[in-house]
Amino acid sequence: MTSTAQPPPVSGAREAHPDHLGHVIFITAAAAMGGFLFGYDSSVINGAVEAIRDRYDIGSGTLAQVIAVALIGCAIGAATAGRIADRIGRIRCMQIAAALFTVSAVGSCVPFALWDLAFWRIVGGFAIGMASVIGPAYIAEVSPPAYRGRLASFQQAAIVIGIAVSQLVNYGILQLADGEQRGEIAGLEAWQWMLGVMVVPAVLYGLLSFAIPESPRFLISVGRTDRAKEVLGEVEGHSVDLDARVAEIDLAMRSEHKSTFKDLLGSRLGFLPIVWVGIGLSVFQQLVGINVAFYYSSTLWQSVGIDPTDSFLYSFTTSIINIIGTVIAMVFVDRVGRRPLALIGSAGMAIALAFEAWAFSADLVDGKLPTTQGVVALVAAHVFVLFFALSWGVVVWVFLGEMFPNRIRAAALGVAASAQWIANWAITASFPSLSDWNLSGTYVIYTAFAVLSIPFVLRYVKETKGKALEEMG
């Protein structure tokens, strides 16, 4: 429950009874396994970057493309997942993603050439893109409005746990390989094991998808109203007037048509204004450089003189801070609201990034940052991740699951998530070259985007706390 009074709900805005919350949480957690794989697959490459560079003897530009190419798959998966989910259902979409995660892990583990590794990363990226769309959409559709913000936060919580687990697994594998990323373990190099272990959560995701119900909104859209009533009863309680609830959802859906890309177009601005806001949220989330911390942190710390083993440890501690920040956001997203958290996060990130830019401006001494700048860089990096996690890391996904009108939600969410992956690709592909040019200057750029996100939120982003999905217009 939020700490402030909620507006009078429409007939569909119900709270789940306590005895149903456990079931709702299980459903949400199972769906959020896609988020876990999203985080795991996105960041596990962090442990393999230098090994891939050495194995295939490639420069920074080629290395960046191999790391970033997965994000092209992410963008395509995100752009198409909404349409796929509207045609075959949210659950089938999850199962396809689980299968793609599995084959990607196997292929990435045993590549026979650099292009082969890149191909399997694209396949995994497509699965990540699907998971980035279907998770928030499904969770928003099965969650009671009073708890929707916290339940939607499960997606980001799963992502950050996936990131942390990937870094812990990488660290453990590195220890088994005596600190060598190319050290051999049972016939494979350490970095190959890092990429292959993802088979385990991928299979678990597929199994869990068979244990949760289809979205009631999809069931109603294909005429399965009896099953939709059963699901609504499971998540909102059987004391709710299920006939009235189904009628409300059906009326809302009948007043609209299947969302298509054409529905997102406006008369003068290309997209409708609300779609541009969603795109803006997605792009700003990435342009602050958050994924540099998860794709390149080991390489970054090694570049300023930190021991490889310690660099892996710092990658793990950063991911733990990420989890702590996400928990803070989950506690306050329905109490404080989405916009205030976003603004707090933007201010905190801007300050932390500015300190990182200052620290990296120092000349290296014997290949290392001076002690003061080294400490400031490490602390500021952790503070940056903390403020991102307690704000933009969570609220963007909550916003994207809530802010669009029903008639365009699936398509608009797909476009916004696709824009997020394109921005992510731009940051990921450019970082190695930018850091070779000027590491401090690179962080000045990220600082500028954190500052610019503040007026963007103040002017264009509306609060969605406490509103039913049917109220969005």
Side-chain angles (χ1 to χ4, degrees):
M1 294 291 290
T2 60
S3 60
T4 56
Q6 298 294 321
V10 293
S11 61
R14 299 286 187 265
E15 298 180 16
H17 291 273
D19 57 334
H20 292 87
L21 274 180
H23 183 62
V24 174
I25 290 171
F26 169 76
I27 292 172
T28 303
M33 268 300 296
F36 177 91
L37 283 158
F38 168 175
Y40 193 102
D41 196 21
S42 294
S43 62
V44 70
I45 195 68
N46 185 25
V49 172
E50 292 305 307
I52 292 171
R53 186 201 299 269
D54 184 64
R55 167 82 172 260
Y56 298 104
D57 191 24
I58 54 178
S60 294
T62 302
L63 177 68
Q65 294 308 316
V66 173
I67 303 306
V69 72
L71 302 171
I72 301 300
C74 292
I76 297 171
T80 58
R83 296 299 305 280
I84 294 172
D86 281 345
R87 288 180 180 272
I88 65 174
R90 282 57 167 153
I91 299 300
R92 290 288 179 266
C93 201
M94 293 180 195
Q95 291 163 355
I96 291 171
L100 293 176
F101 275 123
T102 302
V103 298
S104 170
V106 174
S108 298
C109 178
V110 288
F112 51 81
L114 186 64
W115 71 264
D116 181 45
L117 174 61
F119 171 77
W120 291 116
R121 284 190 52 71
I122 293 173
V123 173
F126 190 91
I128 293 173
M130 292 182 73
S132 74
V133 170
I134 200 61
Y138 175 85
I139 292 170
E141 291 178 352
V142 299
S143 301
Y147 297 92
R148 195 173 59 234
R150 277 165 284 183
L151 293 173
S153 299
F154 275 43
Q155 173 79 356
Q156 181 65 16
I159 292 171
V160 299
I161 291 172
I163 291 171
V165 171
S166 74
Q167 301 310 301
L168 182 59
V169 169
N170 284 355
Y171 183 74
I173 291 173
L174 189 70
Q175 298 307 304
L176 292 176
D178 298 323
E180 296 292 332
Q181 294 178 40
R182 295 198 60 191
E184 189 170 302
I185 304 173
L188 295 176
E189 294 183 3
W191 70 271
Q192 294 176 273
W193 283 106
M194 292 176 187
L195 300 183
V197 168
M198 192 180 69
V199 165
V200 176
V203 171
L204 178 60
Y205 180 40
L207 294 174
L208 284 172
S209 70
F210 287 96
I212 59 177
E214 182 55 86
S215 158
R217 284 177 174 78
F218 175 76
L219 292 170
I220 292 171
S221 74
V222 294
R224 298 177 59 190
T225 55
D226 288 341
R227 177 56 183 153
K229 290 179 186 177
E230 292 177 12
V231 176
L232 287 168
E234 291 173 7
V235 299
E236 296 190 7
H238 291 282
S239 60
V240 172
D241 187 337
L242 297 178
D243 289 325
R245 187 74 176 92
V246 168
E248 177 195 2
I249 296 173
D250 187 45
L251 178 63
M253 295 178 68
R254 285 180 182 279
S255 65
E256 60 200 41
H257 57 281
K258 292 287 185 181
S259 58
T260 66
F261 184 81
K262 185 178 179 180
D263 296 326
L264 307 182
L265 301 178
S267 57
R268 298 191 312 172
L269 299 175
F271 289 122
L272 295 168
I274 189 65
V275 178
W276 280 117
V277 174
I279 291 172
L281 285 167
S282 290
V283 169
F284 271 117
Q285 188 196 52
Q286 296 302 314
L287 294 186
V288 295
I290 184 60
N291 281 311
V292 167
F294 300 119
Y295 297 163
Y296 294 115
S297 60
S298 292
T299 297
L300 173 64
W301 297 127
Q302 289 174 51
S303 74
V304 292
I306 290 177
D307 176 80
T309 300
D310 287 340
S311 73
F312 272 64
L313 179 62
Y314 292 142
S315 295
F316 176 64
T317 57
T318 300
S319 65
I320 295 300
I321 293 295
N322 199 16
I323 293 175
I324 293 171
T326 301
V327 171
I328 293 172
M330 292 175 69
V331 170
F332 289 104
V333 68
D334 279 327
R335 298 186 181 191
V336 175
R338 288 66 159 145
R339 288 180 82 243
L341 280 182
L343 294 169
I344 291 169
S346 292
M349 288 190 295
I351 294 169
L353 286 166
F355 273 104
E356 285 196 80
W358 172 78
F360 290 134
S361 69
D363 293 329
L364 300 184
V365 178
D366 296 327
K368 297 182 179 182
L369 284 175
T371 301
T372 300
Q373 282 85 348
V375 171
V376 169
L378 280 171
V379 172
H382 285 74
V383 171
F384 164 61
V385 170
L386 176 66
F387 273 96
F388 175 86
L390 64 81
S391 60
W392 285 75
V394 167
V395 299
V396 169
W397 292 111
V398 176
F399 270 129
L400 294 183
E402 295 178 338
M403 65 187 291
F404 302 116
N406 279 337
R407 65 183 179 82
I408 64 168
R409 179 171 295 114
L413 211 164
V415 167
S418 182
Q420 183 173 131
W421 290 117
I422 293 171
N424 190 342
W425 172 83
I427 292 296
T428 304
S430 64
F431 178 75
S433 297
L434 283 174
S435 62
D436 286 347
W437 160 69
N438 189 315
L439 185 56
S440 177
T442 301
Y443 274 83
V444 169
I445 294 171
Y446 300 155
T447 303
F449 282 119
V451 172
L452 289 173
S453 68
I454 295 174
F456 173 78
V457 171
L458 288 172
R459 180 164 183 176
Y460 297 111
V461 179
K462 296 180 179 179
E463 184 62 76
T464 58
K465 183 183 74 170
K467 295 183 178 180
L469 294 181
E470 289 74 26
E471 293 181 79
M472 304 300 173

